[in-house]
Amino acid sequence: MTQVTEDITETERDPRWQYVLARDPASDGDFVYGVKTSGVYCRPSCPSRQAKPQNVTFYRSPEEAEAAGLRACLRCHPKGQSSTEANAAIVAEACRIIEQADEVLHLEDLAARVGMSPHYFHRQFKAITGVTPRAYAAAHRAGRVRAELPGSSSVTDAINAAGFNASSRFYEQSSDMLGMPPSAYKNGGKDADIRFAVGQCTLGAILVAQSNRGICAISLGDDPDALVRELQDRFPQAHLIGDDPGFASLIAKVVGFVEAPGVGLDLPLDIQGTAFQIRVWQALREIPAGQTASYSDIASRIGVPRAVRAVAAACAANRIAVAIPCHRVVRADGRLSGYRWGVPRKCALLEKEAQE
């Protein structure tokens, strides 16, 4: 009886057991687990009835499991490509088709090109990317507009080159896409007033920038000049206004929040991103100081539990440190992952919040 208890403790303490309990498809390929009562080994995401932990052994590969005398599960096929991996490859191909198309493709046409029914394709695409094919196409066109505007002869030319069939649709979304009028973005932020200030905190240099809509950047780094150059590169023709005495109090408020996260930061934000990114960033703002969430947690909270990689990409695209707390997102096992402003700063922010 004592031995069984020790076996359970050993299995349940292994971080891989949590992936098995969650049937985490992202862990497929990292390891397999064997069930001694059935003599089979499975992927972490196997949909079969959950095995008792005392009957489970972890293996680094199918070959290692077979050397131990186990056979491959007939439900999850751990030696071949899983249905999740196959669907992910198909969706990746669909994304390439969308990106290369000169015009918006109808769902039926897109599904036919990748060999799926429209309904199943739509469901798999949203589950994997976090957005619908139409929303993905819109986000890609938005990115093309941002790339086309600076070098185009007119806003209309840039809109057409990006694949918008009607300029009215673009202008309906342009404020969230660009954070300013398209003509201003085309000219590198020309005529846009962006106030900024650079200060120091325990994490190094900090830059805070504000448009007429709200805070548009909070950046951290070692070199204050590099932070300013990054802002200039982003908006080369904007009116960058520094040394504003009234703005100095704002950066003091942000620095105070960095040093004591529990005080909160109630500031208007100029959030520029796709609809999916904005949903992710809003979910991040709902994580209380002192707590963390995994990428899969965030994906589940916004209703797309399989869009873990898309959530990670949205976190990486965040330009407003601390106010949009992407530092509070960690891996499923609690380990820290990448951070735009450096993993050591992410660790320091979490430590500050844990101490309050």
Side-chain angles (χ1 to χ4, degrees), residues 292-353:
T292 60
S294 69
Y295 295 101
S296 58
D297 289 336
I298 298 299
S300 296
R301 291 181 193 184
I302 63 174
V304 282
R306 289 169 56 190
V308 177
R309 290 185 177 85
V311 166
C315 291
N318 174 34
R319 293 178 179 269
I320 306 179
V322 298
I324 298 177
C326 52
H327 64 276
R328 294 176 188 159
V329 186
V330 298
R331 294 183 178 180
D333 59 6
R335 290 184 298 159
L336 302 188
S337 55
Y339 187 54
R340 175 185 283 269
W341 300 281
V343 172
R345 289 190 177 89
K346 181 173 188 173
C347 182
L349 283 167
L350 292 175
E351 287 177 353
K352 285 178 181 291
E353 295 181 355

Side-chain angles (χ1 to χ4, degrees), residues 7 12 26 29 44 79 100 109 113 129 141 163 170 172 179 193 249 258-259 262-263:
D7 290 343
E12 293 177 323
K79 291 193 70 173
Q100 295 169 4
D109 295 334
R113 291 181 64 171
T129 67
R141 292 199 305 274
F170 167 73
E172 287 172 0
D193 290 336
S249 62
V258 171
E259 306 300 346
V263 302

Side-chain angles (χ1 to χ4, degrees), residues 83 87 116-126 306:
S83 59
N87 288 336
M116 284 185 172
S117 70
H119 176 73
Y120 185 73
F121 170 70
H122 187 276
R123 183 156 56 88
Q124 292 301 316
F125 193 100
K126 185 174 181 180
R306 289 169 56 190

Side-chain angles (χ1 to χ4, degrees), residues 213-238:
R213 298 176 63 192
I215 299 296
C216 59
I218 299 177
S219 302
L220 302 166
D222 298 318
D223 183 355
D225 292 336
L227 297 180
V228 175
R229 287 195 299 271
E230 182 183 19
L231 184 67
Q232 291 173 330
D233 291 343
R234 188 175 170 192
F235 300 113
Q237 300 298 323

Side-chain angles (χ1 to χ4, degrees), residues 78-301:
K79 291 193 70 173
Q81 190 180 48
S82 68
S83 59
T84 298
E85 292 169 333
N87 288 336
I90 290 172
V91 168
E93 175 62 21
C95 289
R96 287 192 289 270
I97 293 172
I98 291 171
E99 292 164 4
Q100 295 169 4
D102 294 328
E103 58 184 19
V104 179
L105 297 172
H106 292 294
L107 175 65
E108 291 76 11
D109 295 334
L110 188 57
R113 291 181 64 171
V114 296
M116 284 185 172
S117 70
H119 176 73
Y120 185 73
F121 170 70
H122 187 276
R123 183 156 56 88
Q124 292 301 316
F125 193 100
K126 185 174 181 180
I128 292 169
T129 67
V131 294
T132 65
R134 180 180 292 276
Y136 184 90
H140 177 68
R141 292 199 305 274
R144 288 182 61 181
V145 167
R146 286 192 288 269
E148 294 281 350
L149 276 172
S152 64
S153 58
S154 69
V155 173
T156 300
D157 288 345
I159 294 171
N160 292 335
F164 280 91
N165 295 327
S167 59
S168 59
R169 290 187 178 180
F170 167 73
Y171 281 103
E172 287 172 0
Q173 306 166 26
S174 63
S175 181
D176 287 335
M177 284 183 193
L178 308 175
M180 61 184 64
S183 57
Y185 193 96
K186 174 183 180 299
N187 295 308
K190 185 177 180 180
D191 298 328
D193 290 336
I194 298 178
R195 289 174 170 78
F196 76 96
V198 179
Q200 287 290 325
C201 64
T202 55
L203 299 179
I206 182 170
L207 177 145
V208 180
Q210 183 179 44
S211 69
N212 61 355
R213 298 176 63 192
I215 299 296
C216 59
I218 299 177
S219 302
L220 302 166
D222 298 318
D223 183 355
D225 292 336
L227 297 180
V228 175
R229 287 195 299 271
E230 182 183 19
L231 184 67
Q232 291 173 330
D233 291 343
R234 188 175 170 192
F235 300 113
Q237 300 298 323
H239 296 148
L240 298 182
I241 305 169
D243 300 322
D244 184 336
F247 196 77
S249 62
L250 182 62
I251 195 168
K253 187 174 183 179
V254 175
V255 169
F257 174 69
V258 171
E259 306 300 346
V263 302
L265 186 65
D266 185 18
L267 293 173
L269 302 183
D270 178 4
I271 299 176
Q272 303 164 24
T274 66
F276 179 77
Q277 287 173 335
I278 291 172
R279 286 166 61 200
V280 171
W281 296 338
Q282 181 57 43
L284 301 187
R285 297 180 72 188
E286 295 170 359
I287 305 173
Q291 297 184 24
T292 60
S294 69
Y295 295 101
S296 58
D297 289 336
I298 298 299
S300 296
R301 291 181 193 184

